[in-house]
Amino acid sequence: MKTKYSNRAKRKKNEIKLLFNLFFFTAITEVLAEYFQYIDFVYVLKPLLVPILTFIYWKKSRTRDFAYIVAMFFVLLANIFFISTDINSLIIGSLFYLFYRVLIIHLVIKHLKLTHYLPICLGSLPFLAIFGYVAFIAKENMGVGFYVYMLQTILMSFLAGYSLAAYMIDANKKNYWLLIGNILFSVVHLMVVFKIYFLDMLIFQPIAMICYVMAQYFIYKFIILSEKLKN
C-alpha cells in the first residue's frame, strides 16, 4: 500500500513538473511572438497560459479553492480581450480584470489577515500616488476608460499596499511571493497605460508579458503555500 501511494505521489509530481515546463515554454514562446509581432501565435498562445496554470493549481492543491479558479476564468477572458488594440475590447477586458482583482483581494485577505490598518494605508499611498498621477495626465486620452482605470488603480493600490504591509510585519516566504507578485502586477499596470496612451514602444509588450507571467506564477505560489500552511 505504501509503495502504491509512493508511486502515485511520484507520478503526480512528474505530471506537475511537466505542466510547469509547458507553462514556461508557452510563456517564452508567447513573449517572442509579442516581440516579433506574430499576431496569429499571440492569439493562440496567450489564452493558453491561464488554463495551464489553473490546471497546475488543480493538480497541486488539496483544497481547490473555487474563488481562485473563478478568478483565473475572469483573467482568461480579460487576456482574450486584451489581445485586440480596439479601445472597446480593452475596456471590456479591464472590466473582467476588475472581477479577477476583487477575487484575488478576497483570497489574500482570507489567507492573510492583518489587524493593523495604518501599515496598509501607508503601504498603499505610494502606489496610489503613482497610479493616480498617471491617470491625471492621461485623463483626456482615456475617455470612458478613465473610470475603469481608476477602479483598477484603487484595487491595485490596496492590494500592493496590503502585500507590502504584510511583508514588513512578517517577512516570510508566503508574504514574499505575494509582494513580488503584486509589484510585478503594478509594473504591468503602468506599462500598459504608457503603451496605449503615451509611448507605443515595441519592447513594452514583451516586458509587460514577462512581468505578467511571473506575477501570476508568484500569486499561485502564495495561494498554494497559504493552503499548505493552513492544512
Side-chain angles (χ1 to χ4, degrees):
M1 181 68 70
K2 187 176 180 180
T3 304
K4 185 178 180 180
Y5 176 80
S6 177
N7 290 337
R8 189 183 302 165
K10 187 176 180 180
R11 184 168 63 251
K12 182 180 178 181
K13 185 177 180 180
N14 289 334
E15 288 174 354
I16 292 171
K17 184 177 179 181
L18 183 63
L19 286 168
F20 269 125
N21 290 335
L22 177 62
F23 175 74
F24 286 112
F25 174 79
T26 305
I28 291 168
T29 308
E30 204 282 334
V31 168
L32 292 173
E34 295 273 10
Y35 182 76
F36 292 108
Q37 295 184 306
Y38 294 147
I39 303 302
D40 291 341
F41 282 96
V42 172
Y43 270 100
V44 172
L45 295 171
K46 195 169 186 176
L48 287 177
L49 290 167
V50 169
I52 295 172
L53 190 58
T54 307
F55 189 52
I56 293 171
Y57 170 76
W58 182 267
K59 297 283 288 185
K60 182 79 173 177
S61 174
R62 292 182 179 180
T63 56
R64 296 175 179 173
D65 197 314
F66 184 68
Y68 180 73
I69 295 170
V70 174
M72 296 300 275
F73 173 71
F74 281 130
V75 84
L76 169 63
L77 294 177
N79 285 345
I80 293 170
F81 280 98
F82 283 152
I83 294 173
S84 172
T85 55
D86 176 69
I87 190 66
N88 291 324
S89 294
L90 294 175
I91 291 172
I92 294 170
S94 296
L95 289 172
F96 279 124
Y97 214 82
L98 277 174
F99 296 136
Y100 163 78
R101 190 75 68 200
V102 168
L103 286 170
I104 292 298
I105 289 173
H106 161 73
L107 287 167
V108 168
I109 294 174
K110 175 183 175 181
H111 291 297
L112 185 60
K113 291 180 173 62
L114 298 182
T115 56
H116 303 287
Y117 299 108
L118 182 60
I120 301 171
C121 294
L122 294 176
S124 301
L125 281 176
F127 297 96
L128 190 60
I130 294 170
F131 296 150
Y133 176 73
V134 171
F136 176 76
I137 60 178
K139 183 178 179 180
E140 291 184 4
N141 296 327
M142 285 184 175
V144 70
F146 171 78
Y147 301 102
V148 179
Y149 176 81
M150 286 309 298
L151 284 172
Q152 289 279 12
T153 291
I154 293 167
L155 293 177
M156 188 69 248
S157 299
F158 172 78
L159 190 53
Y162 198 97
S163 306
L164 180 59
Y167 186 76
M168 295 300 291
I169 292 169
D170 186 4
N172 58 41
K173 186 179 288 187
K174 180 181 75 169
N175 294 348
Y176 172 79
W177 294 130
L178 180 65
L179 176 61
I180 298 301
N182 282 302
I183 287 175
L184 289 172
F185 271 131
S186 299
V187 172
V188 174
H189 190 65
L190 288 173
M191 290 192 74
V192 169
V193 174
F194 270 94
K195 181 180 183 297
I196 295 172
Y197 299 107
F198 295 106
L199 188 62
D200 188 5
M201 292 182 65
L202 181 62
I203 196 64
F204 275 5
Q205 190 62 26
I207 293 176
M209 196 63 208
I210 292 170
C211 293
Y212 171 80
V213 169
M214 296 311 299
Q216 286 288 8
Y217 173 70
F218 290 142
I219 296 299
Y220 155 84
K221 292 279 287 184
F222 165 78
I223 298 294
I224 287 293
L225 188 54
S226 296
E227 292 177 354
K228 184 178 179 182
L229 291 172
K230 182 175 285 188
N231 293 332

